């Protein structure tokens, strides 16, 4: 009889412990599911951020390419203007030289005319 009572107590105790273990297991599974959900959310956020980053890098590359093209065109224009200015300076120098020559010629002619008058 005593053996049956003890066996019944053990069974009851085992059932109680089994219930506690199952309850704990259930809590842990719920917690695990919460972590999985959070993990999936974070993975989705990471994917979205990576996609946005990729898009921004592409936009940046396009802008840089456009800027480089603009710089190249501006440099060409500057080079053309430098050549035009250089040509203008050459012409101005030639004209000034010619003015100096003509001025000298005129002064010499005036000198001769004055000598002839006197």
């Amino acid at each position: 009889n005593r053996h049956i009572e003890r066996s019944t107590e053990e069974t009851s105790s085992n059932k109680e412990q089994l219930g506690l273990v199952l309850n704990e297991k259930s809590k842990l599974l719920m917690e695990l599911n919460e972590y999985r959900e959070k993990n999936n959310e974070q993975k989705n956020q990471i994917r979205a951020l990576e996609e946005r980053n990729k898009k921004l890098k592409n936009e940046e590359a396009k802008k840089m390419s456009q800027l480089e093209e603009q710089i190249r065109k501006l440099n060409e224009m500057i080079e053309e203007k430098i050549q035009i200015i250089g040509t203008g300076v050459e012409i101005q120098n030639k004209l000034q030289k010619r003015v100096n020559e003509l001025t000298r010629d005129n002064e010499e002619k005036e000198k001769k005319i004055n000598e002839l008058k006197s």
Side-chain angles (χ1 to χ4, degrees):
N1 226 2
R2 179 84 179 127
H3 179 70
I4 293 173
E5 279 180 27
R6 203 171 35 158
S7 184
T8 304
E9 285 174 12
E10 285 176 8
T11 302
S12 179
S13 175
N14 285 347
K15 283 182 182 179
E16 220 176 277
Q17 286 180 352
L18 181 61
L20 291 174
V21 167
L22 290 175
N23 193 21
E24 187 64 24
K25 179 181 176 184
S26 176
K27 285 180 187 175
L28 289 172
L29 284 174
M30 284 175 30
E31 199 175 316
L32 178 63
N33 283 333
E34 286 177 23
Y35 282 120
R36 283 183 178 157
E37 284 178 27
K38 287 179 184 175
N39 190 11
N40 285 333
E41 287 173 17
Q42 288 175 335
K43 283 181 182 177
N44 289 336
Q45 287 175 341
I46 288 171
R47 271 190 226 105
L49 288 170
E50 285 173 342
E51 195 60 37
R52 178 79 178 130
N53 192 22
K54 185 176 171 184
K55 190 176 181 181
L56 288 172
K57 281 183 180 178
N58 287 339
E59 288 176 18
E60 181 185 26
K62 282 182 192 174
K63 296 256 190 245
M64 287 300 291
S65 179
Q66 290 171 348
L67 285 173
E68 287 169 356
E69 181 62 18
Q70 287 175 345
I71 289 170
R72 188 188 61 75
K73 286 181 180 177
L74 285 171
N75 283 336
E76 285 178 5
M77 288 172 56
I78 289 169
E79 197 58 41
E80 287 174 18
K81 293 200 185 298
I82 288 171
Q83 288 176 357
I84 291 170
I85 290 169
T87 303
V89 169
E90 284 178 32
I91 292 171
Q92 186 179 4
N93 288 342
K94 286 178 184 176
L95 289 173
Q96 187 61 49
K97 189 175 179 183
R98 184 69 179 136
V99 165
N100 292 344
E101 289 172 2
L102 291 173
T103 302
R104 231 179 298 116
D105 282 354
N106 285 343
E107 287 172 355
E108 287 175 16
K109 286 179 184 174
E110 284 177 13
K111 192 175 178 185
K112 283 185 184 179
I113 290 173
N114 286 335
E115 285 175 7
L116 290 173
K117 281 184 180 177
S118 47

